Amino acid sequence: MSAQRTSLVVLTGAGISADSGLATFRGGGGLWEGHRVEDVATPQAWRRDPALVWRFYQLRRRALGTVEPNAAHRGLTELAAECAARDVAFTLVTQNVDDLHERAGSAVLHMHGELAQLRCERCDALVRDLERLELDVYVPCASCSHARLRPDIVWFGEMPYFLDAIDEALRACTHFVSIGTSGVVYPAAGFLSVARDVGARTIVNSLDPPENLDPRDDFRAGRASEVVPGLVAELLQDL
Ligand code: OAD
């Protein structure tokens, strides 16, 4: 029987970008101008009140121009490069819709979509755009002339992206690292238990213990920008 190839999967959530200045979802009351995030991030809300939903995402798209990747994003880029050099499989998955992983130089699977991308509901055209940022002006589709593109964000009730590729990586992983997620939104919240079930070493960083934490996980409390660089160095010793 051949030895199992060393294989890492890293899942990130809002906590990794908190040290760059982006608010998490469940901190600070989780409200935006009196609305629960769950009431804005749905297809029903887009149909009912597109102006409100557009404004919510335009504010988030604008905020990307005011923040920079932090030491945790950069540490994961270094980890990926070292894995490539050592023929270790590496998959970075994020629930975040910001672009801080890619601006730090990482290739990443955005399972909940991306603020930097807009999508046409009529013809499925995808457009990368972080320039048209007026709060109350929609972006029309250049391909089919539909009046307004929607944010390419996976809303509540919609199917996350890349689930097959993520499942394949999880089932082969020997190490799973979760960073800055509260472990309450599925399917991402279930990845930790899949990794445990396949016998992977599971490491969890967050400020507070997440909902899906288990005594078998190696929990590292603290800010991602402080914990992740040391964790990367430690993992590189182990690979
Ligand atoms: P949450 O806001 O639910 O959780 C953030 C987690 O990060 C918490 O566990 C905090 O303790 C932790 N945290 C905060 N600051 C941190 C720091 N500086 N360093 C490390 N950890 C820190 O965010 P997510 O779990 O990412 O979905 O939320 C999951 C999904 O819920 C989001 O992707 C979004 C939301 O609804 C969609 O929009 C589809």
Side-chain angles (χ1 to χ4, degrees):
M1 215 170 77
S2 62
Q4 188 182 3
R5 185 185 180 204
T6 306
S7 175
L8 268 73
V9 177
V10 178
L11 172 70
T12 65
I16 194 170
S17 297
D19 290 341
S20 293
L22 292 175
T24 61
F25 288 92
R26 287 165 187 83
L31 289 181
W32 173 71
E33 296 188 358
H35 303 277
R36 288 168 59 232
V37 171
E38 286 82 351
D39 292 339
V40 194
T42 66
Q44 293 81 357
W46 177 241
R47 281 196 293 275
R48 190 176 58 233
D49 193 348
L52 175 86
V53 175
W54 185 244
R55 187 172 136 80
F56 176 81
Y57 283 102
Q58 287 293 73
L59 286 168
R60 269 145 196 79
R61 283 158 46 77
R62 280 182 176 193
L64 296 184
T66 67
V67 294
E68 295 293 333
N70 64 55
H73 298 101
R74 290 192 295 272
L76 294 178
T77 305
E78 182 196 335
L79 180 60
E82 281 295 324
C83 285
R86 300 177 192 194
D87 193 31
V88 167
F90 179 86
T91 307
L92 177 59
V93 180
T94 190
Q95 298 168 88
N96 298 343
V97 294
D98 64 55
D99 58 358
L100 295 178
H101 281 304
E102 42 276 65
R103 280 165 54 198
S106 282
V108 57
L109 299 177
H110 275 281
M111 63 179 293
H112 289 166
E114 297 175 63
L115 286 168
Q117 194 154 273
L118 302 172
R119 175 158 63 83
C120 181
E121 285 182 301
R122 190 193 282 167
C123 75
D124 281 335
L126 287 173
V127 180
R128 292 197 80 78
D129 178 291
L130 277 177
E131 292 188 354
R132 287 172 286 181
L133 298 171
E134 290 95 325
L135 296 188
D136 47 11
V137 180
Y138 295 118
V139 177
C141 178
S143 303
C144 76
S145 305
H146 187 48
R148 53 178 179 245
L149 298 174
R150 60 166 275 181
D152 189 25
I153 301 290
V154 175
W155 285 327
F156 285 91
E158 297 183 324
M159 185 66 87
Y161 298 148
F162 305 115
L163 289 183
D164 289 346
I166 295 167
D167 190 60
E168 195 178 322
L170 282 173
R171 294 196 181 280
C173 80
T174 55
H175 298 66
F176 178 84
V177 183
S178 166
I179 301 168
T181 172
S182 54
V184 298
V185 174
Y186 283 80
F191 296 169
L192 187 56
S193 73
V194 176
R196 259 185 241 120
D197 289 348
V198 299
R201 180 179 167 202
T202 51
I203 304 169
V204 176
N205 161 244
S206 184
L207 280 187
D208 319 299
E211 289 273 316
N212 57 353
L213 192 69
D214 180 278
R216 289 167 288 177
D217 304 324
D218 177 358
F219 180 56
R220 312 286 180 94
R223 305 175 78 90
S225 62
E226 291 166 5
V227 172
V228 172
L231 180 56
V232 166
E234 200 185 302
L235 282 165
L236 290 175
Q237 299 274 319
D238 197 34
L239 296 176

